[in-house]
Each structure stands twice: as structure tokens, then as C-alpha cells.
Amino acid sequence: MKINGRGVITFDCESHLGRRGLALPPMVCLQLYTDEAAEARTVEEALILTGFVDDEAHVLRGTSHGGAWWLLSSRAARALWPSLIRDDTLHLVAHSAPYDLGLMANETGLVDEVFDRLEKGAISDTMIRERLLAIAAGHQDFDPILRKPDPRHSLADVVKRRLGVDITGDKMKTPKEHKHDPWKWVVSKLKCSSCDLAPWLGVGHPTAAGLECDECDGFGLAGPWRLRYCQLQGVPVNEWPDRAVNYAVDDAVWTHLACEAQLDAPAPRDTGVDVIEPGGLVVDEVNQVRFFWSVSLMATWGMRTDPYRVGLVVADWTARAEKAIAVGQAAGFVRPNGTENRAAMCEQVAAAYTAAGRQVPRGEATPKMLEKAANLEADLTTWRSADRERLTPAAVRKLEKKIADAPTKIITLRAGNIKYSNEVLEDSGVKALVEYGDGKTYRGHLSKYADTLKIGTTRPITSRPNPLVITGRCGWTDPPLHQPPRKGGYRECHTPRPLHVYMSADYDTIEICSLAQVHIDWGLGSTLRDKIAAGVDLHVDLAVDVYGKPA
């Protein structure tokens, strides 16, 4: 396979488990795969220069799906990587490439070389390619192949979607709540049930110490190797268990096969416009991969927080949240155990808005709610015609209560549920609801941000960018640093490292200017360009058009 005339080599790394504050843990091995004879010779020639070409303790090689693969120890990988990243004849492909590129850059110090290869469009990311193809086909919110809403784009998802093969068996992940100490969770979850061996963490191979077990191969843990490659740090690769070798190599092989399958993606929406460029790149892929690499570096570098300010802010949030609970309990819409009595809260919201002569805020009635209302209306007719003489007094009382409650429920189902968001409560004009809504915001801050702020006082707050979400923009998770809360002092807790400063840049009407430039580039002309050049305030100009009033 070639992309833009360059021979493709797919690569993947296995590493220690990352944790909060350590987004790029030590690398354990590097896997390569290519189906091109010329690129296979390139790898072998580069290995000769490293001195590891015949060293089976550091290099394993084999064939799969008509191509050649290599598994390199961390030492061999560090020696080989400079040749690969600097070779202009190669096109490197990985899945979620910034992680593997980051690991190798961290191991070798070759960061500028990555920027250079990205600038030349010589690195592809099968995850970014898949997201772009989904956007072009209009499948951002539903996958018609896998029949799933909110499509995912992990390697397993792409392989299942493009090749019809399920490789999810060994793709277990550590839960988010254990990100601070994932190894502790792995040890508790994957302890071998067939032996009493302690989890192996030494250098060398455990069988050399006489530790034998068919289930865990002497490593004390059984299950997916992707969670425990740290156990193989320093173990000669020719002594690795077959399952560990196969899992690592398969990731590089499947990435190659997935990339090849993406080249055959059909033109979207019956437009006849192919989103695969003649050279094999997806439209806009180069820009998006460069962007993903850049924001991933930011997320990996992380942010720090000021201990003194964090202490003040968390204490303030706690006091406000506790006060809100006390106010809610006194008003009757918070139970003694601190949970919300939402029926009582909705009743008070409705009363407050009605008393002020304002429309009661409601959510939109869903088809399911409307169907439930129709069913309840039919039930009500049946209940009213029931023969009460054949019922016990208790059953009659129960029936009459259902008849009395049904009309209100039907109205609610058809009109939509009453909203009780923080904004609705704070806008109600009732003191108890306003204070509770304000305090509820801080309760959310405590559960969502307090632990993260505390982590930042001792180590970087690393995070995870999520490129090309359904809006076409970038999301941010774990924690969500992309849209930090303005209220409550959260932003002020963050502090630059010594000898560094924070800078803020906000480009005026950048999206509209970009749209005007796209029209110019496409030769369509642009009225927007003329207005921008004339100094017209585009937002005011739009308001004039919408409302029909002069500025």
C-alpha cells in the first residue's frame, strides 16, 4: 500500500499504564508492519545500522496477511526510530497516532521531526480518517453498519466496521475512577486464579526463577496483555509469551488492514464526490492530524494549580453546597438524607413561575411520553367504568387515587416535564429556589472538579482531547478542560509553571472570516469579504437582517 507515492509502514507501541499526571508512560515495545517489499528492505537496512538486526532478544520478525512485521524492544525501538521518522520515502500510519508519536518522541527526544513529517503530510491516523469519513457520510450520530448511536472510532470499532472482524476480546480498559492508580486495579482484577504467584515486576523472565503456570505464564496475572506490558519491561522479546507477542503485533497489522479498507470508502450521500484524494489521503486529513498532535501535546504537558487558592475555592464550594442543602430541606424539596424530592421541587417551580405570570419552563414532550399519555387516557376510561361493588374497600381507594392523579399526569406528559435546572431555579425569583440553584452549581463543581484541582497541586493535570466531535470541533475529557466553569473561582486556581506565563488569544469573528476565505479559495466570490474589508460589524449586520431594523 502506498499513500501519496510513499510506502506505508504502520506502527504501534505498548507501554506501561498511564495515570493522572503521566500521560506518556515508559514505552515497552514498538511494532511495525508493511506489505511493501521496498519498505521491508528499508526497515532491515536501518536495523543493520542499529546493531540489533540479528539480536533476537531485541527484535522479533514474522509475516502476516501477505506482509512483514517486526516487534522491537524499547532499546531497539529507540535506535531504529530516528531512521523511520526522518525517511522521506515512508508514510507512517498509526491509530490515535499522537499517543504513539508522543511515546517515541519522549523516548528519543525527536519532536521537531514529527512536526516536519506532519507538515509534509507523511503521517496518517486511522482514527482521524474514520471520523472524517463518518462526517462526509453524515454518520456522526449513528453508525448504519454497526447499528449503534454515537459511533465510536477505536481500532476495534474501525476493524469491525470496515472488515467485519471482531477484535474486542482483549481490549479491556481501566475504569476512569481508577485512573489515579490503574495498576492497583489491574492486580485486583486480573489476579491469576490457577496459582499463588505474586504479580511479576522484575527484569528478566519469570520462568528463569522457576515460576510456571499455564494460565499466566508465570507472571501472576491473567487476562488482556494490553494492561500489563510493564511486566515485560526488560524481558527479552524472544522469551515473551505468545499471547503478548500476538496482541502487540496484531495492533500494527489491523491498523494497516483498516487503513487499506478506508481507501475503498464509497463516495458519501450519493453525491459522486470522492472524499479520498488521488494519493490516498482523506480530504482535510493532513490538517486534522496536525491539529490532533498539537492539542495532544498540550494535554500531555498538563496544567498545574496553586495549593493555597485550591484550598480556599474548595472550602467555599463546600460551604455553599451545604447551605443549599439546608435551604432545600427547610423549603421541603430536599429530603433529610440530602436527596432531592423532585416532585416537590417541580411543584414549587411551577407555582413560582405561575405566580409571576410567566410560562412554566418545560422540556419537550418525547414520542414515548405522548404514547404513555394516550395509554394512560385509555386506562382512565377503563378505571372510571370499573364495577366498584366487586372490589374491596382498599382496592376502591387505590382506584380512586389513580383516577384523581391521572389527569395531571396526562397533562404533564403532553406538555413536557417541568424543568428544574440550575438556571431555571435561579431565574424563579423565589429565594429558596434561587439559593438552592446557586448552591447546586457548587455541588456539581465539587463532584466534577475538586479532585482534579487537588491533583494539580502535586502533579500535572493531564487530559484527553477528543478531535472531530459531531459539531466538527474538538471536545475535551478526563477532565473537561475545554470549557472550564466561569463561576466559583475554578479558572483562577490554575497557575503557570515557573518562568512561564499564560496567554489568551481570541480572534475576532474568526469563523466568519474563515468561511469568506474558503469561498474565495473555491473561486465563488464573497460578499462577506467585501464587508470585512469595509470594516462592517458582521454581527450587527446579521441582526439588522434578522430583525429588519437599522443599526
Side-chain angles (χ1 to χ4, degrees), residues 106 284 338:
N106 197 37
D284 201 36

Side-chain angles (χ1 to χ4, degrees), residues 340-401:
E340 293 178 349
N341 183 339
R342 292 181 178 173
M345 186 182 297
C346 289
E347 187 178 322
Q348 292 194 30
V349 167
Y353 278 80
T354 302
R358 300 161 63 195
Q359 184 175 356
V360 176
R362 293 180 179 273
E364 186 176 350
T366 64
K368 202 167 190 178
M369 292 171 66
L370 295 174
E371 181 183 356
K372 193 172 180 180
N375 292 337
L376 188 56
E377 197 166 44
D379 290 340
L380 181 59
T381 302
T382 303
W383 295 337
R384 284 172 173 165
S385 61
D387 187 355
R388 286 166 172 71
E389 293 182 359
R390 302 180 63 181
L391 300 175
T392 64
V396 170
R397 288 194 297 272
K398 187 175 180 179
L399 178 64
E400 289 177 347
K401 186 177 187 311

Side-chain angles (χ1 to χ4, degrees), residues 3 6-9 89-93 117 121-124 281:
I3 293 180
R6 298 184 176 99
V8 169
I9 291 181
T89 68
L90 300 179
H91 190 96
L92 301 179
V93 178
R117 303 304 290 154
I123 296 178
S124 285
L281 291 171

Side-chain angles (χ1 to χ4, degrees), residues 129-200:
R129 290 167 66 89
E130 193 71 9
R131 286 178 182 261
L132 287 169
L133 291 171
I135 290 171
H139 297 160
Q140 306 100 302
D141 55 353
F142 184 77
D143 185 341
I145 299 174
L146 301 183
R147 308 296 298 173
K148 289 181 179 180
D150 190 21
R152 305 296 180 182
H153 304 288
S154 67
L155 179 59
D157 288 317
V158 176
V159 168
K160 183 69 178 293
R161 186 179 299 121
R162 297 290 168 188
L163 302 169
V165 179
D166 188 351
I167 63 170
T168 58
D170 288 336
K171 297 295 184 183
M172 182 186 292
K173 296 181 180 180
T174 53
K176 284 185 177 180
E177 59 268 27
H178 293 279
K179 285 289 186 183
H180 62 288
D181 191 359
W183 181 247
K184 182 177 180 181
W185 179 86
V186 168
V187 170
S188 65
K189 187 74 174 177
L190 302 182
K191 183 74 175 75
C192 181
S193 59
S194 299
C195 67
D196 294 323
L197 298 176
W200 180 264

